[in-house]
Amino acid sequence: MKNLVIRICGTAGEGVISSGDIFALAVARSEYYVTTFRSFPSEIRGHGQCSFQLRMSEEKAYTTGLMTDVLIGLNEEAILSNIKLLGSGGILILDSDEVKNKFEEFSGIIKYRIPITTIATEKASIRAKNMVAIGIMAGLVPQLELKEQLKKDIKKRYAKKSQEIIDSNIKAFEEGYKYATENLKREDNLASMTMEKSGPKLIMSGNEAIALAAIVAGCRFYAGYPITPATEIMEWLALEMPKVNGTMLQCEDEIAAVTAAIGASYGGVKSMTATSGPGFSLMSEALGLASMAEIPLVVVDVQRGGPSTGLPTKTEQSDLNMAVYGTHGEAPKIVIAPMNVEDCFYQTINAFNFAEKYQLPVILLSDAAIGQRKECVDKIDLSKIKIENRLKHTRETDTGLYVRYKNTLNGISPISNPGDKGGAYTATGLEHTEICQPCSTPEVHKMMTEKRFKKLETATQDFIPAKTYGPDDAKIGIITWGGTTGAVLEAVDMAREQGYKIQALYPRTIYPVPNQWLNSFVEGKEMILVAEANYTAQLLHNLVYRLNKINKDIKLFEVLKYNGEPFSAREVFDKVDKVIRQQMLKYTTFELEKDESYKF
Amino acid sequence: MKNLVIRICGTAGEGVISSGDIFALAVARSEYYVTTFRSFPSEIRGHGQCSFQLRMSEEKAYTTGLMTDVLIGLNEEAILSNIKLLGSGGILILDSDEVKNKFEEFSGIIKYRIPITTIATEKASIRAKNMVAIGIMAGLVPQLELKEQLKKDIKKRYAKKSQEIIDSNIKAFEEGYKYATENLKREDNLASMTMEKSGPKLIMSGNEAIALAAIVAGCRFYAGYPITPATEIMEWLALEMPKVNGTMLQCEDEIAAVTAAIGASYGGVKSMTATSGPGFSLMSEALGLASMAEIPLVVVDVQRGGPSTGLPTKTEQSDLNMAVYGTHGEAPKIVIAPMNVEDCFYQTINAFNFAEKYQLPVILLSDAAIGQRKECVDKIDLSKIKIENRLKHTRETDTGLYVRYKNTLNGISPISNPGDKGGAYTATGLEHTEICQPCSTPEVHKMMTEKRFKKLETATQDFIPAKTYGPDDAKIGIITWGGTTGAVLEAVDMAREQGYKIQALYPRTIYPVPNQWLNSFVEGKEMILVAEANYTAQLLHNLVYRLNKINKDIKLFEVLKYNGEPFSAREVFDKVDKVIRQQMLKYTTFELEKDESYKF
Amino acid sequence: MEYTLKDYKSSTKPSWCPGCGDFAVLAALLTTMTDLQLDPDDTAIVSGIGCSSRFPFFTSTYGFHSIHGRALPVAIGLSAARPDINVITLGGDGDGFSIGGNHFIHASRKNPDITYIVMDNEIYALTKGQNSPTSHDNVITKVNPYQAVEERVNPIMMALSFETSFVARGFSGDIAQLKSIIRQAMDHKGFSFVHVLSPCVQYNDKITFDSIKEHIKPIADDHDVTDRMAGMKLVFEPGYYYTGVIYKQERPTLQEKLDEVQSKAHPGHPEGQQVEELIQQFM
Amino acid sequence: MEYTLKDYKSSTKPSWCPGCGDFAVLAALLTTMTDLQLDPDDTAIVSGIGCSSRFPFFTSTYGFHSIHGRALPVAIGLSAARPDINVITLGGDGDGFSIGGNHFIHASRKNPDITYIVMDNEIYALTKGQNSPTSHDNVITKVNPYQAVEERVNPIMMALSFETSFVARGFSGDIAQLKSIIRQAMDHKGFSFVHVLSPCVQYNDKITFDSIKEHIKPIADDHDVTDRMAGMKLVFEPGYYYTGVIYKQERPTLQEKLDEVQSKAHPGHPEGQQVEELIQQFM
Ligand SMILES: Cc1ncc(C[n+]2csc(CCOP(=O)(O)OP(=O)(O)O)c2C)c(N)n1
Ligand SMILES: Cc1ncc(C[n+]2csc(CCOP(=O)(O)OP(=O)(O)O)c2C)c(N)n1
Ligand code: SF4
Ligand code: SF4
Ligand SMILES: [Mg+2]
Ligand SMILES: [Mg+2]
């Protein structure tokens, strides 16, 4: 797959993130695939260093890539902390006005020293350094024809600013472009690189994908409270929900937000709220209410580093346990984790479908990295999207009564909405009989507990089966979820290049996980690794019993990262490689490096 | 063990519970062991039926017994729903004024028809029927010499009422006593029953035991919000805490309660809050703060039937997952579950010791049944109770600085309290460096996550090892926790009588469970059952991986009850028996009933 | 077809203690609904947790017995999503002024078109008698066995300071007035708050029908209900509880504002936009 | 030894944006602490989450940067358990009036001897600019792109209705007055609330130093600070923000009440009872 990875870095005030954003948009609109990653400090307003990486490619890529082909650095500190990401033959572009260091110790890379600050100040304004930078980026690969689209996107971005600012930015961009095309003595790989366009596509962030999908799924009520890194969902819906006659309500806190969503859903309107860790914890009691009163509800948790206030701008997959178990008593829920931006869209649709069909809360576990990064999404065909709605209420044929919590075979009871004639009932978080009377007898509590869990059992038949990636006859398996999936899939590819046969399993519904997904995957495997971005191996601990049960001899390993950064494919591969080697050492006495026998 | 089980039942307004309470107190004060169980409807004010069972015995008993020896019923409905608990030779005492049914179909029991209502109305007042009843109870066993103590306790109970009411109650009691001793033609087992006194002891409920232990452990700050069935902890402390110059603060909700407790503990004062499910869910976010900022804290959850508002007056062990996992991010905590009233006392002491020593939240999982029932507790020797305090802050020898979150070998850092000179620091729920600066770098987050979990590792060495009950060479093991423990231990005894060799393991610290406890228990076992009062087998799911890891061939079974009632020993035994028989069927072809081979 | 009182009653007999003040509120609300001829199927009663919050089980309308303190946000969500439904919210003093206090502030800001009735018995009754934010100093319970340590809140004064758009007080000892107040509250367009003094005969003997009678005063006819300051003056007067409508303000409701937002969001599309159009921006 | 300003400053440079209003509050508080010669080790500053709540990191006293909206209960717990510590609480308008609003009501009822400073920039700044309960209608943010749908809260009026025992308003454009107000607040025995108009230069251009200046009016000298109704009148006056001390009431603090409770609990034992004695009741 042809692809080009570019990283731009500098201090937070230098517009690094917005230049990356604009560039990514233009790449997508020029019909290449693009995926991005941004990293910035969690300070109030950045004094710190940020970076933005984007990968453009002919085919859809899972991650922003292992190494970067081009690194544009606006100051020395930024370059120093990123330069090791440049592969051999990579291109370093630096602002020669700001950076005196020649980076002699880094060989095998091409360095272009460009007076970015001078160009910006002389031709436009000191604030337009980032525009010069993207001009240079576009000018490195004029054959990819990004220039005109970039100009359009710059204009769009600053549409609300004065004409002067727009002109100045365009000028800076043009000058950067000109400088790159005219002044650089090109001896690098990019000079002649070509890339096929792959047709029109969408570009959006994970948070936007969730918000858009909610509307597509029929959600017409959203209540929320701002919190990093989930706020964009609320912001997007504030603008767009009213366009489709839906409601977005800002609440005083997350408890009000989730209970308002429950109230709206009780009213028959598909409802959602989104938050991150601290807000999710606050919703704990209300989630139990939705589960007990059987009210459909979608709750998005865009995970960030925890616990407590933790690391608001960093990513982590550490809320899985909370999502599954974070309510007192036994309150069935479904937990779904999208693997990337496009998946955010489709899994949100699933979340609503499950919530409506099974009348329970569905938790969508996204994360800061997916939520914030922009990625391409293939054109969405609305006609192909299946939307489920809650079971309409009916009366008993014999008695003519409506039995709201009827204990049916599959656990799903007919549900009425206020306004439905003859459907009046009182929803309650108390244990209740089938006809909604508070009741605490042993028989009723037992029956209703079983009924509520029966729905989960029924639901598993509806889940999109976990997918596999890699050869079926692999002896090494790797299971992963959510935001780590992309890195794992690329690591499987890397492993193949190294001669390892590895197969990955990546469920999107992560609770409950039906047995059959595990059965067929575990069969034939000798060891299974579970990769996730947390400390306590949460998914592994949720599956471990069953993995063992299927194959008592299976060897299980954790592949964990818990420093607030997402996994890269290289890191997954390195950990996998290490585990395999260690395992092999048990069976071999000779030097592994020199022996190929460990490659299945 | 000599013992006598009495059950009294009637409607909620008839004073059934208070008569049982008074009787139990008098039994304990007469130096017999006693344990009790009360069951009442969760209606606002009872129209429903209640019952109160008490068991007096020579030695400490684990439960209120399998069957009842005496059943006193004030109305027919109550008798009908309890009569099956009378063993053969059991005594039924009924109010002949109210109950016309002769219960002919129940044979093998002795029936005394006594005009309780008439006695009460004629000699005292209609409201004193319950006093007549306890008079009769005492009069059945005059040789046990309960009479004088009962009179004292009745006087005490009504001390705040008018002299008239006190006199009337005493009169009713005396009349009941007289009736039983003078008018009954006794041909029953009790007539000649004797019981050894076992010396002075205490009697209290689980909630009282926790409250008392908190004060013994050094707790001098409590903040709370009323909730059934935990309110008595707050009520007891409201009265008693100020006596030892401590503070009990009523808050506006559970979030305020737990954060106030965190504030007080930050201030260096040992602090606690207590609640039940819904309130516990609300505390979720704050628990993460205590874990992240490393503030010692004890949170009591007196579990009730869930989820949501659930079954406020019923019992369940369904908050274990919530206690362990119910916070976003990865927030180390310790979870302890007392097995009975006496254990409530000692485990609360442990909870404070762990919280202080390891600077983290400790969750004490009691339940409605333990919390509400009164039981004997052996005299408490304060001099034998070890109290731990938090590690004092110190300065670094080299730099003279105080490093609040120093990453020490065991994870425990020195902690200062406001007022400590040179100890000033800023506690925070943000990820932070060792010297409390907000920090979100990968290195720091990784290091501090590991540091916080290191404390858990260290703590496990401090735990009182899980105890076993039953023969070491048993092939069948049963693991249990909290309120189910008593029933399991009695079931082990029953099993022995039936010829089964079963060994029970009952940890009190239920998270984390150190490996060594499991290792030695699993060794030599062929099957392990895990008994708990919930639907999803929460403890089993937390241990299952390790049980399997220790012995891949081990057979694991759930023994569950989830109808809001506590397990009886009989139920545990029956389930165990069934599992064993089913298992055996796999290996035998002949009729099990007739074969003894399944008895290990 | 005309609805009669019994169309609003559920078959469940109220589980309240005989003599509980809440019966009067139930009676008044049932009559008001009958008077207004509300379709029971178009009406939803939302409550929190407490004796008073058991209310929805005793009517035949839609009901939501939610969780402690959260009746208001549940009701607001319902009402914002379903402006066609008549939403009534109710609960107790603990539910509304202790755990739920903040929602009262923010409901007032939002001004949803719902009526909120608080049955104030100055006690936590369902949990068997602990002092509440409205308990007087002389209410000594097991959680404050020595004395009270906190001041009472003044719900009416708070409501006035939150600019709640309709503020009234009733007494369950005076059903006729209560009906009239509830009627006016339900007629009001916006968030109407009715504070009902409603004794608990079981757990608070300090506030009884008799003791309340001594302290209430109906608001004089010449009181200007549109003057918030005049309302404040009434509550500042010591020793009395004024009953009747204290304050009333006409201002856009939450639903109206949300309608405005919708029409601003799709000026060219009276019916709203198609989902397809929203996708355009990502191209 | 005498403490100087620098004894209260931490070595951490404030991470606020240049020009942020909160610098003035920091300066005023540091000076006040110096003037009062508080021992930094006997002083604790408790905050919630927000730009303003970062405050404790910038002082050298004990500090507790807690969770969003919960500064008050944390501070009350601390202060009740450790009445010997000077407890100061602070945070933003979102922290204090949105998620934390209920604690403000109940802190006022409890009247703990702590000072509570809210830096009101009429915006959620840390989360990059969403409207807050105090935002004016003209604050259009990404969460209300079309218009505001809610009324603003009036923190001073709320405090007066909660009977907060000290109520004042300051402005970070007037450090001298702010110092004097904070000094009076800290001298006050009881719960003192200081509402500071403190612009955010990054996310709210509707409330700036200049725009605020136009609307503030220092309270006249003859204002009777003990007259709550007079305070109400000030806030009812439209168009202006009065600055200075609005209301002040002497009443027993929470700590005093808790002391009373303790002495009632062990009348015969001036030192309190022994734990052994408590056990007696179970025999
Ligand atoms: C989160 C939570 N905390 C506590 C409770 C326990 N609880 C139930 S009702 C109630 C107070 C009821 O008082 P009020 O609202 O005045 O109603 P009343 O019973 O007096 O009508 C409490 C504290 C609960 N159900 N949920
Ligand atoms: C439970 C929870 N919800 C949401 C957030 C996100 N959050 C952090 S600060 C903040 C608002 C800050 O506004 P304000 O209190 O006015 O402080 P400012 O930044 O304006 O000084 C929010 C919503 C959080 N940290 N915790
Ligand atoms: S306990 Fe009090 S509030 Fe509850 S039903 Fe009885 S009288 Fe009414
Ligand atoms: S964003 Fe606003 S409130 Fe925050 S530091 Fe900057 S100016 Fe101050
Ligand atoms: Mg009440
Ligand atoms: Mg603010």
Side-chain angles (χ1 to χ4, degrees), chain C residues 4-82:
Chain C
T4 63
L5 200 75
K6 73 173 192 339
D7 293 316
Y8 298 97
K9 264 192 198 160
S10 86
S11 52
T12 311
K13 196 175 149 265
S15 52
W16 292 317
C17 312
C20 176
D22 298 349
F23 281 104
V25 183
L26 180 61
L29 186 64
L30 292 175
T31 320
T32 310
M33 292 195 291
T34 317
D35 291 348
L36 290 168
Q37 287 290 302
L38 301 185
D39 184 338
D41 286 332
D42 287 341
T43 305
I45 302 183
V46 181
S47 68
I49 301 292
C51 288
S52 38
S53 291
R54 289 281 175 125
F55 203 115
F57 292 109
F58 314 143
T59 75
S60 67
T61 65
Y62 278 86
F64 200 151
H65 175 252
S66 72
I67 43 178
H68 194 38
R70 316 302 170 191
L72 278 176
V74 169
I76 290 173
L78 169 57
S79 173
R82 291 292 307 272

Side-chain angles (χ1 to χ4, degrees), chain A residues 44, chain D residues 16-17 20 51 121 125 200-203:
Chain A
I44 294 172
Chain D
W16 292 318
C17 312
C20 176
C51 287
N121 50 18
C200 167
V201 297
Q202 190 73 12
Y203 296 111

Side-chain angles (χ1 to χ4, degrees), chain C residues 51-52 92-95 119-126 132 134 200:
Chain C
C51 288
S52 38
D93 44 313
D95 196 76
M119 285 157 265
D120 188 353
N121 50 19
E122 308 191 2
I123 201 83
Y124 292 176
L126 186 64
S132 97
T134 54
C200 167

